[in-house]
């Protein structure tokens, strides 16, 4: 019998670090893929891989500074494999309870295994010297190293905020205590109590999230995507501050809503849950690949009254003038608020600072203004602390569209007011915007502004157009016998005029849509299934959309 080869956890971590730190891939994606690939490993080994990988990414600047103190060759000049082996060693020595001899031995063996026999002595000497140096190092006069953030970012933050606030924020960013996982629950299908009970049966500790409705905080979750509750579409991973932003939109049933930058779908699924199968939800993302991931999450969550688009926001203005009751913009931004979650955002910040994103944000928000009905609400959010992308972008909207007013947002402990001094005009309304700092409340950094478009401008022409849109129904269609036979077993009324058949595929369309010829769709409406030879085959999307009491034959 051939002996099964034991995977080397440190070799797996090295492969992750090469992808993330040398090839600039997103760490959360690379780590997740690795954990999926090695899912057969014991939980202890997988936890080691996750912690060491994330730690090396989060503390890269400090780890390189330690290496530079101990080595004759700077980390930046070393071979990628060697510097990442040394980063792993430095992190284990400082932050993990791993014996020095084990750290040194494993680092040397890994260097040799990767073909660097001639550098075994170098790795051994540097690792042993780091073990001696680490307890003596003091970064108090090099705070960018202490917080493990680029010097230019530290200086930029100091230009925006007092030193004490910057220190508190960065302490939260580099916190080693771990970051809680939050999920949003689809309460349209099961109650919170039923979902909590299901999670408890799978050994996951659950507490109610402190701020957002229908959200839970999980501990000991492991890979939540493998749980039955997740696979059944009852929960969606969502940061707590992101959930708060979506909660502020507060759509009522029968509302027409759009999430303009919707991927990966956390906010869109929350909007869809609130609509409870009524109205229209349009989830759009310009990136086709991200929109495909968005579609998967939308269907997993069982949202049916939806159009998933991959379209330039400016093009949508022509199809949806003054159409939406609620618009959500989670704008692309420079992203300092997400540095704790993924250090690739630091690299993006270096390449594209606030000035790059401001142009995009102002274009999107003014296009959204044209699609919002008078009386409608617009929620603008970012994960940046840059005033140019936050208060000054809202100020720009108010100058271009004076019919907009900033609304009060329900306050929570830890919310901070918008920064009035960031305003170029001194507009007092900007105090009503909200900043969420990770050192003041759970969640990543966020900026939120809720705006209302005044109703004075409602024209009779618009009222008539809206009435026609929402009440327009085609004549009832004759449906294929096999589809009719299947629908007899579904305890839900389907309006045949809204059933759209395209080839073999059958869709149930939201009501009140304008003509959308030329728009790039990934999905229009709920995919009911496919017409096969003499039978109808229901889709997974329909299965996720139906409640268990709506179909007679349930396993």
């Amino acid at each position: 019998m051939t002996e099964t080869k034991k995977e080397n956890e440190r070799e797996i971590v090295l492969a992750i670090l090469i992808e993330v730190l040398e090839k600039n891939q997103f760490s959360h994606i690379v780590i997740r893929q690795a954990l999926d690939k090695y899912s057969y490993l014991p939980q202890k080994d997988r936890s080691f891989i996750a912690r060491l990988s994330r730690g090396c990414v989060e503390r890269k600047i400090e780890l390189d500074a330690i290496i530079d103190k101990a080595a004759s060759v700077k980390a930046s000049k070393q071979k990628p494999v060697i510097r990442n082996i040394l980063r792993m060693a430095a992190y284990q020595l400082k932050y993990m309870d791993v014996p020095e001899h084990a750290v040194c031995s494993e680092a040397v063996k890994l260097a040799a295994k990767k073909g660097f026999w001639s550098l075994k002595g170098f790795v051994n000497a540097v690792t042993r010297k780091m073990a001696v140096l680490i307890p003596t190092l003091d970064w108090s006069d090099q705070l960018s190293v202490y917080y493990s953030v680029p010097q230019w970012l530290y200086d930029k933050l100091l230009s925006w905020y007092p030193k004490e606030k910057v220190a508190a924020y960065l302490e939260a960013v580099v916190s080693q205590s771990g970051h809680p996982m939050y999920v949003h629950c689809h309460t349209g299908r099961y109650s919170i109590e039923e979902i909590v009970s299901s999670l408890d049966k799978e050994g996951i500790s659950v507490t109610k999230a402190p701020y957002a409705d229908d959200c839970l905080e999980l501990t000991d979750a492991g890979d939540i995507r493998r749980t039955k509750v997740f696979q059944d579409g009852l929960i969606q991973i969502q940061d707590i501050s992101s959930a708060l932003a979506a909660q502020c939109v507060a759509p009522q049933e029968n509302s027409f809503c759009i999430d303009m930058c919707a991927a990966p779908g956390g906010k869109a699924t929350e909007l869809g849950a609130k609509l409870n199968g009524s109205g229209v939800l349009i989830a759009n993302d310009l990136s086709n690949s991200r929109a495909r991931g968005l579609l998967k999450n939308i269907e997993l969550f069982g949202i049916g009254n939806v159009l998933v688009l991959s379209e330039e926001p400016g093009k949508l203005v022509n199809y949806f003038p003054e159409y939406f009751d609620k618009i959500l913009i989670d704008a692309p931004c420079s992203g300092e608020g997400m540095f704790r979650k993924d250090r690739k955002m630091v690299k993006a910040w270096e390449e594209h600072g606030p000035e790059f994103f401001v142009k995009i944000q102002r274009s999107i928000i003014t296009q959204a203004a044209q699609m919002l009905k008078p009386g409608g609400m617009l929620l603008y959010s970012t994960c940046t602390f840059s005033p140019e992308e936050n208060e000054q972008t809202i100020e720009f909207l108010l100058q271009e569209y004076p019919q907009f007013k900033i609304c009060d947002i329900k306050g929570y402990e830890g919310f901070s007011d918008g920064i009035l001094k960031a305003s170029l005009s001194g507009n007092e309304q900007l105090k009503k915007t909200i900043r969420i700092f990770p050192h003041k409340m759970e969640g990543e950094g966020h900026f939120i502004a809720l705006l209302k478009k005044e109703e004075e401008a409602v024209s009779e022409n618009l009222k008539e157009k809206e009435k026609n849109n929402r009440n327009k129904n085609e004549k009832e269609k004759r449906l294929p016998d096999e589809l009719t036979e299947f629908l007899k077993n579904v305890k839900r009324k389907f309006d045949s005029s809204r059933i759209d058949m395209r080839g073999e595929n059958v869709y149930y369309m939201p009501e009140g849509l304008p003509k959308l010829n030329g728009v790039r769709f990934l999905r229009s409406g709920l995919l009911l299934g496919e017409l096969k030879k003499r039978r109808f085959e229901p889709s997974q999307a329909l299965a996720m959309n139906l409640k268990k009491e709506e179909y007679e034959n349930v396993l």
Side-chain angles (χ1 to χ4, degrees):
M1 182 181 291
T2 304
E3 184 179 349
T4 302
K5 177 185 173 185
K6 185 181 186 302
E7 301 295 345
N8 184 303
E9 298 87 357
R10 289 173 177 83
E11 187 175 5
I12 295 169
V13 173
L14 178 61
I16 291 171
L17 296 184
I18 294 296
E19 289 297 311
V20 175
L21 298 181
E22 306 300 335
K23 299 181 181 179
N24 294 317
Q25 299 303 306
F26 280 110
S27 63
H28 68 283
I29 295 175
V30 176
I31 293 171
R32 184 185 69 203
Q33 289 172 341
L35 294 177
D36 283 347
K37 181 178 180 180
Y38 298 103
S39 60
Y40 56 84
L41 290 176
Q43 182 60 42
K44 181 181 177 181
D45 293 348
R46 297 173 73 249
S47 296
F48 178 89
I49 292 167
R51 183 179 175 190
L52 183 54
S53 301
R54 291 178 182 130
C56 288
V57 172
E58 292 180 352
R59 303 301 302 178
K60 170 184 171 291
I61 290 175
E62 182 194 18
L63 300 178
D64 284 357
I66 294 172
I67 294 169
D68 289 349
K69 290 276 188 182
S72 57
V73 180
K74 298 290 187 185
S76 61
K77 300 295 184 182
Q78 295 171 9
K79 295 183 182 298
V81 168
I82 297 301
R83 67 167 161 255
N84 283 291
I85 289 174
L86 291 176
R87 284 166 178 163
M88 292 160 57
Y91 187 85
Q92 291 171 82
L93 289 169
K94 181 159 186 184
Y95 292 109
M96 297 178 72
D97 187 22
V98 181
E100 177 187 330
H101 68 86
V103 174
C104 186
S105 172
E106 292 296 331
V108 171
K109 285 194 291 186
L110 187 53
K113 188 173 183 180
K114 291 301 175 182
F116 294 93
W117 287 88
S118 63
L119 293 176
K120 285 171 60 181
F122 176 79
V123 170
N124 180 58
V126 174
T127 302
R128 292 191 182 282
K129 192 170 182 180
M130 288 193 298
V132 174
L133 281 174
I134 283 172
T136 70
L137 293 175
D138 179 7
W139 306 117
S140 58
D141 60 343
Q142 295 176 261
L143 292 177
S144 70
V145 175
Y146 175 76
Y147 293 121
S148 206
V149 297
Q151 183 65 49
W152 55 262
L153 173 60
Y154 182 73
D155 294 339
K156 187 73 172 177
L157 290 170
L158 284 177
S159 74
W160 293 337
Y161 306 110
K163 187 174 182 179
E164 301 75 29
K165 183 173 281 190
V166 172
Y169 160 58
L170 291 175
E171 285 284 0
V173 169
V174 302
S175 169
Q176 296 301 310
S177 60
H179 316 311
M181 175 184 288
Y182 293 96
V183 294
H184 175 249
C185 302
H186 190 351
T187 53
R189 294 168 64 195
Y190 289 85
S191 69
I192 283 280
E193 292 74 22
E194 289 175 307
I195 294 172
V196 168
S197 176
S198 296
L199 287 166
D200 185 61
K201 289 175 182 176
E202 298 197 51
I204 298 171
S205 301
V206 182
T207 55
K208 183 74 173 69
Y211 313 109
D213 296 339
D214 300 339
C215 286
L216 300 171
E217 179 180 336
L218 309 184
T219 53
D220 303 321
D223 187 352
I224 193 67
R225 294 167 301 121
R226 293 180 178 275
T227 65
K228 186 175 186 301
V229 181
F230 183 89
Q231 293 173 356
D232 286 348
L234 301 181
I235 58 174
Q236 178 79 22
I237 300 170
Q238 186 176 27
D239 181 69
I240 189 68
S241 52
S242 177
L244 276 170
Q247 185 174 301
C248 291
V249 179
Q252 291 78 39
E253 291 191 12
N254 297 308
S255 296
F256 285 22
C257 305
I258 182 170
D259 186 345
M260 293 185 66
C261 312
K267 294 183 178 73
T269 54
E270 185 168 353
L271 294 178
K274 291 283 192 292
L275 289 173
N276 196 26
S278 67
V280 176
L281 171 64
I282 294 181
N284 180 67
D285 202 275
L286 180 59
S287 165
N288 189 267
S289 61
R290 283 170 56 83
R292 291 185 183 282
L294 165 66
L295 172 60
K296 182 177 179 180
N297 286 330
I298 290 278
E299 291 192 339
L300 183 63
F301 217 60
I303 308 298
N305 53 319
V306 65
L307 306 182
V308 179
L309 314 180
S310 180
E311 196 58 85
E312 183 76 43
K315 185 175 178 180
L316 298 179
V317 175
N318 299 320
Y319 293 92
F320 299 105
E322 295 191 326
Y323 177 86
F324 295 104
D325 301 289
K326 308 281 185 175
I327 295 179
L328 193 154
I329 305 171
D330 187 13
C333 66
S334 54
E336 315 92 75
M338 301 300 287
F339 283 178
R340 173 167 72 173
K341 188 172 184 180
D342 207 306
R343 288 306 172 96
K344 186 174 180 182
M345 300 302 293
V346 178
K347 182 73 174 177
W349 212 102
E350 292 177 304
E351 295 175 355
H352 303 295
E355 299 77 13
F356 173 83
F357 289 99
V358 164
K359 295 177 183 178
I360 298 172
Q361 293 152 355
R362 293 186 176 186
S363 174
I364 292 173
I365 201 170
T366 52
Q367 291 158 357
Q370 299 170 62
M371 292 191 282
L372 189 67
K373 285 174 42 185
M377 306 292 285
L378 184 153
L379 191 287
Y380 175 87
S381 71
T382 71
C383 57
T384 176
F385 301 132
S386 160
E388 299 95 320
E389 300 177 71
N390 293 334
E391 288 89 353
Q392 290 176 22
T393 293
I394 298 301
E395 187 174 35
F396 174 79
L397 174 67
L398 298 179
Q399 291 167 348
E400 294 292 309
Y401 292 89
Q403 64 267 46
F404 278 84
K405 302 295 180 187
I406 301 177
C407 301
D408 291 313
I409 295 175
K410 180 182 177 182
Y412 292 92
E413 184 179 353
F415 272 15
S416 300
D417 293 340
I419 301 173
L420 183 57
K421 70 177 183 180
S423 165
L424 301 178
S425 65
N427 189 329
E428 290 283 337
Q429 283 195 73
L430 292 170
K431 286 183 179 178
K432 295 181 179 180
T433 62
I434 296 296
R435 285 177 173 266
I436 298 174
F437 293 99
H439 65 283
K440 298 189 74 174
M441 63 185 297
E442 294 288 357
E444 310 300 337
H446 252 72
F447 171 85
I448 305 172
L450 182 64
L451 302 106
K452 183 174 183 179
K453 190 175 187 180
E454 292 187 333
E455 299 189 64
E456 288 89 288
V458 181
S459 65
E460 290 303 318
N461 195 30
L462 175 63
K463 289 179 180 178
E464 187 62 28
K465 182 170 68 174
E466 180 184 325
K467 180 180 177 183
N468 289 339
N469 270 342
R470 299 207 179 194
N471 295 329
K472 184 178 179 181
N473 281 312
E474 300 175 11
K475 294 180 180 179
E476 288 203 6
K477 300 174 182 174
R478 173 172 172 77
L479 303 178
D481 292 341
E482 51 268 46
L483 175 59
T484 302
E485 192 63 30
F486 172 82
L487 292 178
K488 286 180 181 177
N489 296 314
V490 181
K491 298 175 183 177
R492 181 193 295 181
K493 181 174 174 55
F494 287 91
D495 181 349
S496 65
S497 69
R498 291 167 54 191
I499 292 179
D500 188 15
M501 289 173 282
R502 282 168 256 162
E504 292 183 341
N505 291 340
V506 182
Y507 299 88
Y508 192 61
M509 301 296 291
E511 191 173 15
L513 291 173
K515 292 182 178 179
L516 297 172
N517 297 336
V519 174
R520 288 187 296 175
F521 288 97
L522 273 77
R523 178 59 46 80
S524 54
L526 173 63
L527 175 62
L528 296 179
E530 296 179 66
L531 291 166
K532 302 291 187 180
K533 187 175 181 180
R534 296 184 179 178
R535 65 186 176 87
F536 174 75
E537 186 173 293
S539 70
Q540 178 69 17
L542 176 61
M544 302 305 289
N545 178 260
L546 290 172
K547 299 177 183 179
K548 60 183 179 181
E549 63 269 17
E550 290 183 313
Y551 194 73
E552 290 186 357
N553 302 319
V554 179
L555 294 178

